[in-house]
Amino acid sequence: MAVVIDLVSPSGETLWHMIAAPEEDGLWRFERIDGRDVSRVGYSVRVHWGEVSEWYDGCNHCGTSDEGMRSCTLQACAEQPYDRLYFRFSRGDPAIRVDGDWMVMTVAGHSAELTRFTEQVI
């Protein structure tokens, strides 16, 4: 039975996580920050056990292991207009509220609307 579960479970996920994970866990794509459309930039995050564990800013990818080690790609990238606000959500400690396939993150007077997705871009 364990072999079958390993074959169908997402990479890196345990059976316990698949059963007990909070509803906000998964991949999320930013659609709007403070009401402005940012969907074309490609901002996204992965939430694991209720905390942002990986993020993609449209150019570079960063992730934090379960042990707290961070690794990032280091491409030279043109700064986008909303990068600084995006970093507050991806590297800060945002409040998270989920409603179906939508998630709202809030931090220090700003809000972001995200949609759940399954495409592996992170």
Side-chain angles (χ1 to χ4, degrees), residues 36-78:
R36 294 188 174 93
D37 184 356
V38 296
S39 60
R40 292 181 187 241
V41 178
Y43 299 137
S44 59
V45 293
R46 176 186 299 277
V47 177
H48 187 72
W49 290 118
E51 296 185 10
V52 175
S53 63
E54 297 179 49
W55 52 96
Y56 179 71
D57 64 9
C59 181
N60 282 298
H61 168 263
C62 290
T64 305
S65 70
D66 289 337
E67 295 80 29
M69 299 296 295
R70 181 184 295 179
S71 63
C72 298
T73 58
L74 298 172
Q75 290 181 243
C77 311

Side-chain angles (χ1 to χ4, degrees), residues 3-120:
V3 173
V4 173
I5 291 170
D6 283 343
L7 292 175
V8 296
S9 65
S11 176
E13 299 300 336
T14 64
L15 178 59
W16 175 246
H17 186 260
M18 291 170 54
I19 294 169
E23 66 179 337
E24 63 267 20
D25 278 20
L27 294 170
W28 297 90
R29 178 177 39 238
F30 281 70
E31 300 294 335
R32 287 179 286 284
I33 295 178
D34 289 343
R36 294 188 174 93
D37 184 356
V38 296
S39 60
R40 292 181 187 241
V41 178
Y43 299 137
S44 59
V45 293
R46 176 186 299 277
V47 177
H48 187 72
W49 290 118
E51 296 185 10
V52 175
S53 63
E54 297 179 49
W55 52 96
Y56 179 71
D57 64 9
C59 181
N60 282 298
H61 168 263
C62 290
T64 305
S65 70
D66 289 337
E67 295 80 29
M69 299 296 295
R70 181 184 295 179
S71 63
C72 298
T73 58
L74 298 172
Q75 290 181 243
C77 311
E79 186 171 338
Q80 299 297 315
Y82 295 99
D83 281 355
R84 292 177 189 212
L85 276 175
Y86 166 73
F87 295 149
R88 291 183 183 190
F89 295 102
S90 62
R91 292 166 180 85
D93 188 23
I96 297 174
R97 181 177 47 85
V98 176
D99 184 13
D101 286 339
W102 284 89
M103 178 167 69
V104 175
M105 299 174 102
T106 54
V107 62
H110 299 281
S111 66
E113 298 170 54
L114 299 84
T115 54
R116 187 183 298 274
F117 70 108
T118 56
E119 180 182 331
Q120 184 72 30

